[in-house]
Every structure is written in C-alpha cells, then in structure tokens.
C-alpha cells in the first residue's frame, strides 16, 4: 500500500466531490443519480489510482470514467415509458424565472444523445478545451466539435439559446 497515493486520492475526493457531482448531474439530470455516479466512478478510479501519475490525470480519468459509466447506465435503463407534461402558457416573468429556465434547459439536455450531452457539459460547464474533452471521451477533436455544434443546434431548435453564454447562465446561477 502506498499511503501517499491514498492521501492524494482522499484529498482529491474531498476537494472535487461537489464539482464532480455537479458534472454528474449534467450527465444524468437527477441529483441522486449524480451522487451514485460519482461514488461508483470514484470506486472504479480508486482501484487504478496507483497507475495515475498526477492529480490532473486523476481528474481527467475520473471524468472519463463518469462519462463511460453514465453511458453504460443509460444503455441498461428501460425506456418504455416517457413521462410528459404539457404546461400552460408562461405567465409574466417572475423571480422564479431562472428556475424555469434551468428546468427547460435540463429537460432539453436530457433529449440529446449521451455523448453530445457529455461534450456540451465538458465544454460549457467545465470549461475544458476541445483536446481535453476528446481525451476524456475517447474520440477526436473534430468529433467533439461536431457533437457540440449539433447539440447547440438542437438546443436552438428548442428556442433555449441564442448563444453559448445562455447555455451556462441558468446552471451557474443555481450553483
């Protein structure tokens, strides 16, 4: 056993758990699933912590495990029923408008393919460069760019955003 690696891993978990849970929420759309995703992913990462060279490798590897685990869960989930609810016309803007905006955005994100959703989350919520996103997702930079482009186009179809800043505003306000 390497007590230095164990201590480094413990410090990583204590310092990054909230950020990883927020990323997990963007992947799953549900807080309790996000927490389960982070815990499951950290358990998987713990077994490989000795082979990781640095703290940044630990962060990147954890995000990769989270994306892959989320995709595996999604593939196993039964999708026979999809709850829907037609809401009445929206009233005048209120103090709860940002909550409504965030809810609409998260519902629209949930309609996107998992890898597109992951690319958008890594780009706009985690502020990662394309090269790092490609490494985490195990694809090329051009695949990341096209996934982000298609995802933004779909969100625009939902009339959710005119630019990419509108994508992060509702989530950051909730932060």
């Amino acid at each position: 056993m390497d007590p230095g690696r164990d201590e480094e891993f413990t410090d990583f978990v204590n310092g990054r758990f909230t950020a990883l849970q927020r990323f997990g929420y963007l992947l799953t759309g549900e807080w309790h699933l996000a927490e389960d995703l982070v815990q499951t992913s950290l358990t998987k990462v713990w077994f490989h912590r000795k082979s990781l060279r640095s703290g940044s490798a630990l962060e990147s590897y954890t995000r990769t495990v989270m994306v892959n685990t989320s995709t595996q869960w999604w593939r196993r989930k039964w999708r026979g029923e999809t709850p829907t609810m037609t809401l009445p016309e929206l009233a005048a803007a209120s103090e709860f408008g940002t909550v409504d905006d965030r809810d609409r955005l998260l519902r629209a994100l949930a309609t996107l393919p998992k890898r597109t959703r992951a690319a958008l989350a890594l780009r706009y919520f985690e502020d990662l460069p394309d090269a790092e996103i490609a490494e985490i997702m195990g694809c090329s930079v051009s695949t990341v760019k096209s996934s982000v482009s298609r995802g933004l186009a779909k969100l625009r179809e939902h009339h959710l955003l005119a630019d990419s800043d509108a994508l992060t505003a509702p989530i950051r306000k909730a932060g």
Side-chain angles (χ1 to χ4, degrees):
M1 297 216 359
D2 184 359
R5 281 287 187 204
D6 290 342
E7 186 176 317
E8 180 182 353
F9 185 77
T10 301
D11 291 343
F12 169 74
V13 171
N14 289 335
R16 299 297 298 155
F17 188 85
T18 302
L20 292 171
Q21 187 176 16
R22 194 169 33 246
F23 178 61
Y25 178 71
L26 293 170
L27 293 174
T28 63
E30 298 179 32
W31 283 112
H32 70 280
L33 282 178
E35 189 171 305
D36 290 347
L37 177 62
V38 172
Q39 291 174 356
T40 300
S41 299
L42 288 173
T43 300
K44 291 177 181 181
V45 170
W46 185 82
F47 288 107
H48 298 283
R49 73 195 182 287
K50 293 179 183 175
S51 63
L52 301 171
R53 301 269 184 239
S54 68
S56 63
L58 186 59
E59 175 96 18
S60 180
Y61 184 68
T62 301
R63 291 183 187 284
T64 300
V65 170
M66 288 177 69
V67 168
N68 292 338
T69 302
S70 172
T71 302
Q72 288 171 350
W73 286 0
W74 181 80
R75 286 180 182 150
R76 291 181 188 158
K77 188 175 180 181
W78 180 68
R79 303 210 178 277
E81 295 180 20
T82 306
T84 60
M85 183 170 73
T86 305
L87 297 174
E89 260 184 56
L90 294 177
S94 71
E95 61 190 63
F96 302 106
T98 56
V99 174
D100 295 338
D101 291 345
R102 183 173 54 247
D103 182 59
R104 280 197 312 275
L105 175 60
L106 292 172
R107 285 176 189 263
L109 282 171
T111 66
L112 298 176
K114 286 291 181 181
R115 292 186 61 78
T116 302
R117 184 177 181 171
L120 287 172
L122 290 167
R123 164 75 70 74
Y124 293 105
F125 297 99
E126 299 299 326
D127 294 326
L128 296 179
D130 291 340
E132 194 170 340
I133 296 169
E135 184 180 326
I136 288 170
M137 294 181 64
C139 63
S140 68
V141 172
S142 60
T143 300
V144 169
K145 289 180 179 185
S146 64
S147 293
V148 168
S149 177
R150 281 192 308 270
L152 290 175
K154 276 290 191 193
L155 293 177
R156 284 184 188 103
E157 286 176 17
H158 289 286
H159 305 290
L160 286 173
L161 50 113
D163 59 39
S164 60
D165 289 339
L167 182 61
T168 57
I171 300 298
R172 289 201 173 137
K173 287 180 186 174

